[in-house]
Structures are given as structure tokens and as C-alpha cells.
Amino acid sequence: MTVAVAGQPNVGKSTFFNLLTKNRVLVANWPGVTVEKHEGSLEHRGYRIKLVDLPGVYGLSALTLEERISRSYILGGEADVIIALVDTTIPERTLYLPIQILEAYKNVVIAYTKYDMAHEMGIHINFDTLEKRLGVPVVPVSAATGYGIEYLLDKVIEVAEKGGRRDYLRIDYGELEPFIESVERELKKCEGLREYPSRWLAIRLLEGDEELAEMLSSKCGSEVYRAFEEARDEARKVVGKDVSMFASAKRFSFIMSLTREAVVRARTPERKARSIFYHPAIGTALSLTLLLSIFMLVFIVNTGFPLNVVLSLLGQENLAAVVEEYSLSGMLGKGLGWLMDIARSSIANPLLASFVADGVIGGVASILTFLPLIFVVMFVLSVVEDAGLLPRMAVGVSALTTKIGLSGNALFPITVSLGCNVPGIMGARASLTAGERIRQILTLPLIPCQARLVVLLALATALKTLGGWVMVFTGYVAAFSAFIVLNYALYRLSRKREPIPEMLLEIPAYHKPLGKVVWWMTWNNVKHFLEKAGTIIFVSSVAVWAMSSFTPALTYTDNPSNSIAAEVSRLLIPAVYPFHVAGENAWMVVFGLLMGFVAKEVFVTSILTITGTPSMAEAVSVMGLTDAQLIAIGVFTTLYVPCLATLSTIYSETRSVKLTALAVLLLMGTAYLVSALLYYFLTLLV
């Protein structure tokens, strides 16, 4: 595969090119000229990629020798894909060349370089919006940190295999459009220039490209050339200025509309004072306090806690009950129960009624009741991150993590894993050593992903004697503590073979959170949750309903205790003995944990379906669980194997059955040890 790298001068092209090729570069001259040509190679995903470094140019106007070389190479079709670079710190100016390339070439991947500097300068970019508007992959990268390089190469291969844009990028040139169409019609009469995109060629001719005009005259004949000249002269009269300047203004107008929609800049005043987060003791305490406050805020908004507790202590029991009943989650739970009752009463066929009420509404819709909780959590975390607090909180807790064998590169996969473990594990490729990468792959599944947050929030609403925030906070503290301890243990075992990696972190300037940026970050996380609810969770919910509605003899039953799910789960009841879960309904907990292997949210839908209840609080009451058992199960759910997709990623990244099995054993062993100890500790308190 041949890939060309194009960019304006000072966009970071040389650094980027050398990073990809590991400085293994062949230097020669471009054919017929004295300009140097740099070529390198690398291997990725089974492909041997030849990289060609095009001369740094500001556009494709062929006004200079470098521009003629770059344009000739791009239009010649030698490259399978072109990587067009944009400087993240000055996107408005450096987007001009990629826009020109997209007008003439379809297989393009745009890379935003120097991304490590963006947040520090208060620059926020919505890459999803750019991808939609430009129709090609847009990837942020940093040659300084290696961020995004693997993902960029994945996108290059994807474009090479599947193709890029269906058509060339079209910019509205306003008053120039009729003349572009006129020249295009004339060009269709000429066979000699068919290798060029007709619209691009028409625009360049009208702009006064002498090289192309000579080609038009020699290959298309005098009649076509005369028609072109007439159109160009008329265009000059209409636009009232140089056509090239007019076209350039239209391109910049397009770029400005694009950046207004996708780029936000914040004021970033310099702070000379040393951040309090950098203090080893105070920073750790402050960071953990902020995390605790975030989850407290979530529960105040969604469940009324701790306002209901305060009212109860003041003797206002009735008012406390009203606050709890009419909280956001309380009203959604009542609405869900109402829908389930309507389905059961209005559908005559008992099998169909059960499917709609328990399988569909009780499954997917019950997960959607936690959408407000997810939204508030992601909104608050987005505010904290955009303000520049999140990296400082990372520094605040670094005293707990710097000696467990993790380099600064681990910050990215850890952060990504809070959303989903799959891309987090893939991000471990940026590790400084092979040993560090394996340790991350084995331990990153302990980082609580968004799906496990859903489970913790669901279980938290069922606590009777403790505030719901205790469940969430305990789950996260247990998960991160296990991550730290296990990493340290594995690091000590390999310490003799590896140097101690240094922890490096870019600290952005503080700035006021920007509404547009906070919305981007929040919506991206909520969108992922909704997409999952509409696919994996829906299919799993139907499967759970089928397993809990049919007996081993495949006859319908309205008693889940006689179902396939119950028969299979009873065989594994000893698995929950460490939490003293026993009795006739113990199989329900087992079944929920089994289904959690598919996707963690399915744990919630499974429990609600087999108990036939609209809320987790009622489901826990049916199963007869104490608060100590509930918290222990919540922590166990957070720590044991995240999902099948995570296991699949571990295997694909290691290509080792042994390491995948080792990951399962480590996660299961850690889950049982931590949750069992927590259960016995809580029985002394609750």
C-alpha cells in the first residue's frame, strides 16, 4: 500500500513522518527536479505501507515547483490513500490544503497534528462534526506523545479497503457556479483530460492555471479552448475581481463555517500559583472529595438523596417520602410500572403480554430509566474535564499510582476505559515497554466502564439503610484500588527486566467550561449508551425473557422458578455463597451475574425480568437481599469479567489463550476476594 503525507509548512509533517517511519527514510530526488523526495515504510495490520512525504505546500495552485510536484503526484493516482495534515493549533489556516485535496481526490484521511497542545491553548474540536461535513475520517494525533497514531493507521487501511468519499468535495462558489458548469460541459467534449476530475479542472482553469490551460489548448482543440476563454472572461466581469482570489475567498468562507461549527476556543489565563492538586497529601484528598461530590450531586438530582434523609432527621417524614417518590428516578419507575400494567391488561394472549411487558418494556425500557442518571454523571464529568480540573485530579492521585509501573502513556487507556474497556485495552499499544502493555491489558478491565456505572446506579436505588452514593463510591474505590494493587504486584514481578517508566502528563490551563464543548462530550457518552440499549441490550433482554418464560420442556410458564434460567442457575448457587446469598430465590442473583457476561447492563434487565418488577428496589425486596449483600454483589459485578467484547479484545491484542485465561482468573479472583471481604466488613456495620 502506498500512502502520501501532505501538509503545509510547519504543520508538523516532518516529525509526523519520522515518527511513522522510525527515521528509516530513503532520500532521493523527484524525477527531473532537484527537490528531495523522502520515502519510508512500516508494517501495520498485515500491510506493508510505503510512505511518501510530499513537499510542504500551501495549496495545489502549481505556482511553485513544490506545488507542481505535490499536485502531479496526488492527481497521478499513485497513492492508495493521502494523509492530509492540519495543525490543531491553527486549524482555520491549515485546513486550506486538505480542502483543496478533497476537491480533487477521494481516498483521504485527515490528521489533526499537535493535539497534545490543543487543550492547553483552550482549543476544543468536535471531530465527529468534521467527519460528517467532510465525509472522510478525521483523527487527532500527537507526534510528541504517540496519541492517535495506531487509530490513524487503522483508518488509512479502512479507506484503502473500502474507499473514501463517494464523490469529490463540493464547495459552493456562488456567482462562479454557472461558469463552472459551462466549462465542465465543454470539457466533456475532450478525451485528453479525462484523468482529471472535471469540476476541479473547470475551477482551476477559471482561476487562471496556466499549466492546465496549455494542456487544454494542446489536447482539446481550439474550439473547446475558445469556449473556455469566453467563460473565463465573462466570469471575471461578474465577480468583479481576480477569479483566483474570489475562489480562495469562497474556500476560506467554507472553512470558517466549518470551524465555527466544530471548533471552540476558550480564554486560558496563565496561572502562576502552584496548583493545590500537586500536593501529595492534599491533592489526593481533594481529588477523592471531588469525585465523591460528583456522585452526591448525581443522587441529589435523580433520587432526592440526601435531602430526603435530612427531612427525615427533621421529623418531616411525609415530606421526605414525597421528595423520594417524585424524584426523577422515582417518577420514571412509576411510569415504567404503569406501562407494564397496561401491556399485561390490554393484551389478551398471556405469552404475548409477558413478552411485551417483561421482555421489551421490563428489559430495555428499565435500562432507559437510568438515562437521566447517566446524563447527569457524564455532564458533570464533562464540565470538570473541560475546565481543566480532571488532569489536575489525575496529578492529585498520582501519589497512589506512580510506583505501580505505569508510564504517562497509561493515562489515555485508563481514561478511555471509563467509557468502555475495549478501546482502552486497544490504547495500551502506546505503552513504552512490552511488559507494561501486557500489564495494562490484564488490569484495565478492572476500570469501571459506563455499563458498570449503570449497574451500580441501579443497585444504589435499592439500598435501604445507606445512601445510594455509597454504592457508587465504594464500587469505584474498590475497582481503582484493585487496579493499583494488581498492577503493583505484576510490576514487582517484572521489575528486574524493565526500567521504571516515568509518568508524564500535559496540564492544560484552567478555563471556564464551554457549553458547546460540554454538550459534545456528554452527548457522545450518552449516545454510546443509547446505541447499546437499542442493540445488544434489546437482543439480550428478549433472550432473558425466553429463558425465564419457558421450562426445560419448552412449555410456557408464568413462574420463572420453573424456567430454563432457574434450572441452570440453581446448579451454580454455590458461586454466591461468599455473600451468604441462599434460599429459593438465590438462583436469581446467579442468573443475573451469568447474563452480565454478555453485557453488564443485561445484569439489570435480567434481574427485573425474572422478578417481574419495574424497579431494582422491588426486585431486591423479592430476592430478600440485605444492604451488605447488595453492596458486595455490586462490587463483584464491577470487578469480574466486564463482557464478552472485552475478552475478545484481550485475545485479539495478545493472540494468546493463556494470557486471556490469566486475565479471567485475575479478574474473578480479585472480584471474589474484594467483595467477600467487603461483605464481612459491612455485616459488622449495617
Side-chain angles (χ1 to χ4, degrees), residues 344-365:
R344 291 193 183 100
S345 60
S346 60
I347 301 175
N349 187 308
L351 179 61
L352 182 59
S354 175
F355 171 74
V356 174
D358 302 319
V360 178
I361 300 176
V364 177

Side-chain angles (χ1 to χ4, degrees), residues 612-629:
T613 57
S615 69
M616 186 57 72
E618 293 181 46
V620 167
S621 179
V622 170
M623 293 185 290
L625 298 176
T626 65
D627 276 3
Q629 290 173 324

